[in-house]
Amino acid sequence: MSAANANQGHEQDHEHDSEHHIVGPMVYLSIVLALLFFTGITVWASYIDLGETRLFNTGLTIFWNPVVALAIACTKMVLVVLFFMHVKYSTKLTKLTVLSGLFTFIALIGMTLTDYVSRAWGRW
């Protein structure tokens, strides 16, 4: 095999690998503005007492400020992962990898919260 044929095959590999989605600057600007907007909403919501709710007779109380703050943080996380990390335009394997990481995170947080809720707080 000559050097010209080897280079030609190598160039074809690079042509196939370079098929990336190009995102315009307006998309990035709109995402940055959305992130700044949600940051402002988070700060604004932190100054307001959203109250609490008792769950039946379980003794558990839900404080709504952290719930709202985490919901906004999750929204911002989705924007960053989809657009700045280019997962929206990636292959199915990349999307599967991101979702498996998210599933692992949720499972670990779920196990931690199960341990936290099952403790006998104030009974010792």
Side-chain angles (χ1 to χ4, degrees):
M1 185 194 249
S2 69
N5 289 340
N7 284 340
Q8 189 177 29
H10 189 64
E11 288 174 7
Q12 288 175 353
D13 289 342
H14 282 300
E15 287 177 15
H16 187 346
D17 290 341
S18 66
E19 294 179 17
H20 296 289
H21 188 288
I22 298 175
V23 181
M26 290 306 292
V27 173
Y28 287 126
L29 182 63
S30 62
I31 297 301
V32 166
L33 291 175
L35 291 172
L36 288 172
F37 172 75
F38 284 124
T39 301
I41 294 293
T42 304
V43 171
W44 175 73
S46 70
Y47 287 106
I48 298 172
D49 183 18
L50 298 175
E52 59 187 54
T53 303
R54 293 212 178 265
L55 291 180
F56 309 111
N57 57 0
T58 60
L60 294 176
T61 303
I62 295 179
F63 296 96
W64 290 105
N65 284 62
V67 172
V68 169
L70 285 172
I72 295 171
C74 287
T75 304
K76 289 168 38 178
M77 181 257 326
V78 166
L79 288 175
V80 169
V81 167
L82 286 179
F83 291 99
F84 289 133
M85 295 175 69
H86 301 277
V87 171
K88 181 177 181 183
Y89 309 108
S90 294
T91 63
K92 291 181 181 180
L93 181 61
T94 303
K95 292 176 184 176
L96 179 67
T97 304
V98 170
L99 287 176
S100 66
L102 181 64
F103 174 76
T104 303
F105 174 73
I106 290 172
L108 290 173
I109 293 297
M111 288 186 282
T112 302
L113 290 177
T114 302
D115 177 54
Y116 181 78
V117 169
S118 66
R119 293 179 184 243
W121 295 106
R123 296 185 196 151
W124 26 266

